[in-house]
Amino acid sequence: MGQTIIEKIFSKHAGKNVAANEIVIAEIDFCLGQDGTSGIVIDSFKKMNATRVFDSKKMAVIIDHSSPSPNSGVSAIHKKIRDFSLQQKLQFFDVGQGVCHQLVPERGFVVPGDLVVGADSHTCTYGALNVAATGMGSTDVAACAATGRNWFKVPESIKFICNGKLPKGVYSKDLILFLIGQVGADGATYMSCEYTGPAINNLSVDARFTISNMAIEMGAKFGLMECDKKTLDWVKKHSRKKFLCQSADPDAKYFRTLIFDVSKLEPQVAKPHQVDNVCPVREVAGTEIAQGFIGTCTNGRVEDFGIAAKILKGKKIKKGVRLIVAPASNWILKETMKKGYIDTLLDAGATLVTPGCGPCVGTHNGVPSDNENVISTANRNFKGRMGNPNAFIYLASPATVAASVITGKITDPRKHLK
Amino acid sequence: MIFQGKARRFSQDNDINTDYIISGRYKFKIQDPNELATHVMEDLDPGFFQRRQDGDFIVAGRNFGCGSSREQAPQAIKYARISAVMAKSFARIFYRNAFNIGLPLIECDTDQIKDGDELKLDLAKGVVTNITQNKDIKIKPLPPVMLSLLQDGGLVEHIKKHHGFNL
């Protein structure tokens, strides 16, 4: 019988032909942790009586969630994971280098067909490169670090076929918000999502990352895409590792197949306090906002800042409104500076903060006040997510955020795109 | 294993995420699990830690533990001395994390449990007894992998005992 993408990748890593719902022990190609999770990775690794990481080149530790450190409690955790990473000679990224899910693919650590485990739920981002990547907890990652393996249940798959072409002013963020709204926060629990169809093929790799990144917001374990020329060009530019792309067989078995025509899709937002609380921008247009945020592992890439800069060029952010921007890596910061995007955003009145996760996870760099509305390009709008349980977070595309900070109200970006 | 305590429910029933279980405001800077536990469920139900009692059960609807991979979430529940979490379904990462650290998760029809009900959980028999309502609620049997991990005392002990995975 035919296999899905994930059945093929697990078959390769388990050394035998496997199908959905089987339990396998599989070899992993790479694992990672960040500063919010690596402290416990180290504790569990030591409690397992492990002394050396299975392969120091195959584990990354990234300080990104509270970076640079905002207080002494965080500094103590940073020191602990910095000392461990240096002692173990891991792929280590200290403060300011960027967000893990940008750095890991950007530095070429993962390639199509790989199996990757990260102590961060958005590890599924690399699925855009045909990488079977999934988030797990710290002790699971410690087991990977100690043994180079872990146990997995081979998941069933849901196929999302996206036909048509996204209209102008509508982006991959709008598409993934729409899909999450359709299936709900647990619509793909324990599943592997496969995104396919002409609308996906049309997207750049940057835009594809946004879609795979948010697979976890419907409970999924993986958010996979097949390889095409864009994937191959991107991977060859960033990595020297050998790889083998995996695609689904025509007779592969799916739990569910959903078909959408995206040609008439409008800009979307997720309203507080749930990611699946999705509606078209027009339904909440006019809602006052106090802060915008462009960045994160979802939408902090070069193309995202290009879109925002195009809308904000020659404009000013409304008085009394803040716009925080955080490029997802140091490399992206430099690229966006070269292209003039950062100049444009600063001229409009934006505040540039260190590449990292801070504002999204509420550690620092933009905690909202009580009763304030925030419009953000991040992937979660849970109560308290940005550091204040009395604030309200709306999720949208970089274009919608840029248009909204000009007016101070949630605004359809298509009005600002000629 | 037999546990007994009161059911604790929240204003929100479904999709209780790990940010609500333990906020990023605390988990990024506090390493001591006993200190983290004092903030458990704080953003959803301020004062929950002060009101709960040792041995209580957290009871919820669908998709408990969705969101971030933070192991501090089941850790905060365990160190708040909650016996087990009962829900109609659990999110995947939270599910693994809980068993890895030895916190039992029970899938059952939680519509039959009201806030404050006195419950008795018999893991070996696979039954929750709602003492207040005088009825038994069947629980979904644990998958063999999770049972092995729980019997070994969590993933760390499993790896130590078997010098790797033996599932």
Side-chain angles (χ1 to χ4, degrees):
Chain A
M1 199 179 67
Q3 288 185 305
T4 59
I5 300 176
I6 199 63
E7 286 171 331
K8 285 192 179 175
I9 294 181
F10 272 121
S11 296
K12 208 172 139 237
H13 288 81
K16 60 177 182 179
N17 233 16
V18 297
N21 293 318
E22 280 184 50
I23 303 285
V24 298
I25 308 282
E27 307 279 334
I28 57 148
D29 296 297
F30 200 79
C31 65
L32 63 136
Q34 33 90 344
D35 50 330
T37 56
S38 293
I40 301 179
V41 174
I42 297 166
D43 295 342
S44 293
F45 181 84
K46 289 181 176 165
K47 283 185 206 157
M48 287 170 188
N49 295 329
T51 50
R52 297 299 306 177
V53 169
F54 80 108
D55 184 337
S56 61
K57 287 191 174 58
K58 292 185 177 174
M59 180 169 185
V61 171
I62 300 103
I63 295 186
D64 56 1
H65 276 59
S66 328
S67 154
S69 169
N71 59 56
S72 58
V74 168
S75 302
I77 296 174
H78 283 183
K79 180 161 173 22
K80 172 176 169 176
I81 66 181
R82 184 180 293 117
D83 289 350
F84 179 83
S85 303
L86 295 175
Q87 184 244 327
Q88 293 277 341
K89 298 188 169 58
L90 304 179
Q91 310 279 7
F92 174 60
F93 296 90
D94 216 317
V95 298
Q97 293 301 300
V99 179
C100 52
H101 303 314
Q102 172 58 26
L103 288 168
V104 166
E106 179 190 296
R107 302 303 170 99
F109 296 139
V110 297
V111 290
D114 276 357
L115 177 62
V116 177
V117 174
D120 188 279
S121 62
H122 293 107
T123 304
C124 52
T125 307
Y126 326 143
L129 298 177
N130 195 240
V131 176
T134 192
M136 287 192 189
S138 298
T139 299
D140 264 318
V141 169
C144 293
T147 68
R149 322 158 91 194
N150 209 323
W151 73 270
F152 299 84
K153 183 165 106 177
V154 180
E156 295 187 279
S157 296
I158 298 187
K159 192 179 213 166
F160 294 89
I161 302 174
C162 301
N163 291 320
K165 195 182 169 202
L166 287 174
K168 196 177 165 123
V170 182
Y171 302 90
S172 63
K173 181 60 161 289
D174 301 301
L175 175 54
I176 188 61
L177 287 176
F178 173 75
L179 296 180
I180 294 165
Q182 292 295 303
V183 303
D186 62 352
T189 295
Y190 230 121
M191 301 269 169
S192 171
C193 298
E194 286 186 18
Y195 309 104
T196 180
I200 301 292
N201 300 338
N202 265 332
L203 299 172
S204 68
V205 171
D206 272 9
R208 292 176 190 180
F209 279 131
T210 307
I211 291 182
S212 290
N213 174 268
M214 294 187 74
I216 181 68
E217 309 313 328
M218 23 184 177
K221 182 168 176 176
F222 300 102
L224 290 160
M225 296 182 188
E226 292 188 338
C227 291
D228 64 2
K229 188 173 178 302
K230 288 179 197 169
T231 323
L232 301 182
D233 289 348
W234 198 97
V235 172
K236 285 176 188 162
K237 192 178 151 192
H238 290 85
S239 183
R240 288 182 186 169
K241 277 175 72 177
K242 279 187 191 161
F243 62 90
L244 184 63
C245 292
Q246 298 290 351
S247 53
D249 291 324
D251 57 341
K253 204 177 145 202
Y254 290 88
F255 174 78
R256 207 176 164 194
T257 299
L258 296 160
I259 304 170
F260 300 96
D261 181 355
V262 306
S263 310
K264 292 196 172 118
L265 191 70
E266 296 176 59
Q268 307 282 311
V269 292
K271 295 178 281 184
H273 298 289
Q274 292 245 130
V275 186
D276 60 354
N277 191 13
V278 176
C279 72
V281 166
R282 85 183 128 75
E283 285 183 22
V284 288
T287 305
E288 287 205 9
I289 52 124
Q291 181 171 302
F293 172 46
I294 303 175
T296 76
C297 55
T298 317
N299 277 121
R301 300 189 171 83
V302 176
E303 187 174 293
D304 298 315
F305 293 102
I307 292 163
K310 194 173 170 192
I311 290 172
L312 283 160
K313 181 109 189 152
K315 304 267 174 56
K316 288 281 178 205
I317 292 160
K318 189 180 163 75
K319 206 171 172 97
V321 174
R322 295 96 63 192
L323 173 63
I324 313 282
V325 295
S329 75
N330 210 3
W331 176 78
I332 291 174
L333 172 59
K334 290 201 283 186
E335 285 296 302
T336 48
M337 282 168 76
K338 276 185 214 159
K339 290 177 186 290
Y341 301 157
I342 296 295
D343 262 4
T344 302
L345 297 174
L346 292 178
D347 287 345
T351 302
L352 176 67
V353 302
T354 310
C357 316
C360 169
V361 288
T363 46
H364 60 152
N365 285 340
V367 177
S369 169
D370 283 1
N371 300 314
E372 280 189 337
N373 292 330
V374 178
I375 189 154
S376 159
T377 65
N379 42 39
R380 290 199 176 124
N381 58 350
F382 303 151
K383 195 174 171 183
R385 177 76 180 177
M386 295 184 77
N388 184 346
N390 301 316
F392 300 85
I393 307 165
Y394 292 78
L395 305 178
S397 73
T400 302
V401 173
S404 301
V405 294
I406 296 171
T407 58
K409 291 168 181 167
I410 295 179
T411 300
D412 189 323
R414 291 174 297 185
K415 292 175 189 161
H416 294 260
L417 287 163
K418 281 165 210 118
Chain B
M1 282 188 278
I2 294 177
F3 305 94
Q4 190 166 335
K6 278 194 166 47
R8 299 283 177 181
R9 303 199 69 136
F10 303 94
S11 57
Q12 180 174 330
D13 203 37
N14 298 327
D15 306 315
I16 292 179
N17 62 64
T18 55
D19 274 74
Y20 293 171
I21 299 169
I22 187 69
S23 166
R25 289 199 303 290
Y26 305 115
K27 78 119 178 175
F28 289 106
K29 64 179 179 190
I30 300 172
Q31 296 193 65
D32 175 7
N34 288 305
E35 191 187 344
L36 267 180
T38 64
H39 300 289
V40 71
M41 305 303 302
E42 189 177 285
D43 281 359
L44 194 58
D45 186 2
F48 173 75
F49 179 79
Q50 286 71 32
R51 281 195 306 281
R52 52 94 245 161
Q53 286 168 355
D54 287 7
D56 280 355
F57 298 93
I58 285 179
V59 180
R62 285 187 292 109
N63 202 25
F64 186 90
C66 60
S68 126
S69 69
R70 62 191 70 175
E71 199 165 299
Q72 290 93 335
Q75 202 183 48
I77 294 173
K78 189 181 168 185
Y79 280 83
R81 296 179 292 284
I82 298 293
S83 298
V85 183
M86 299 180 188
K88 289 180 187 167
S89 64
F90 293 93
R92 184 190 68 85
I93 306 177
F94 179 82
Y95 188 80
R96 284 183 75 123
N97 283 346
F99 285 94
N100 282 348
I101 65 159
L103 172 71
L105 303 183
I106 305 300
E107 279 185 81
C108 64
D109 177 15
T110 52
D111 285 346
Q112 303 187 51
I113 305 171
K114 287 196 167 57
D115 184 49
D117 281 357
E118 185 75 19
L119 306 176
K120 190 173 94 180
L121 166 66
D122 187 332
L123 263 183
K125 281 192 190 154
V127 175
V128 177
T129 305
N130 189 329
I131 296 167
T132 308
Q133 298 190 32
N134 192 26
K135 61 183 173 191
D136 285 348
I137 303 163
K138 254 176 78 175
I139 66 180
K140 195 174 156 185
L142 288 178
V145 176
M146 292 346 238
L147 206 58
S148 303
L149 287 173
L150 209 56
Q151 280 164 352
D152 282 346
L155 183 58
V156 166
E157 295 306 317
H158 176 85
I159 297 273
K160 264 165 67 177
K161 184 172 160 191
H162 304 284
H163 305 286
F165 289 97
N166 181 27
L167 293 164

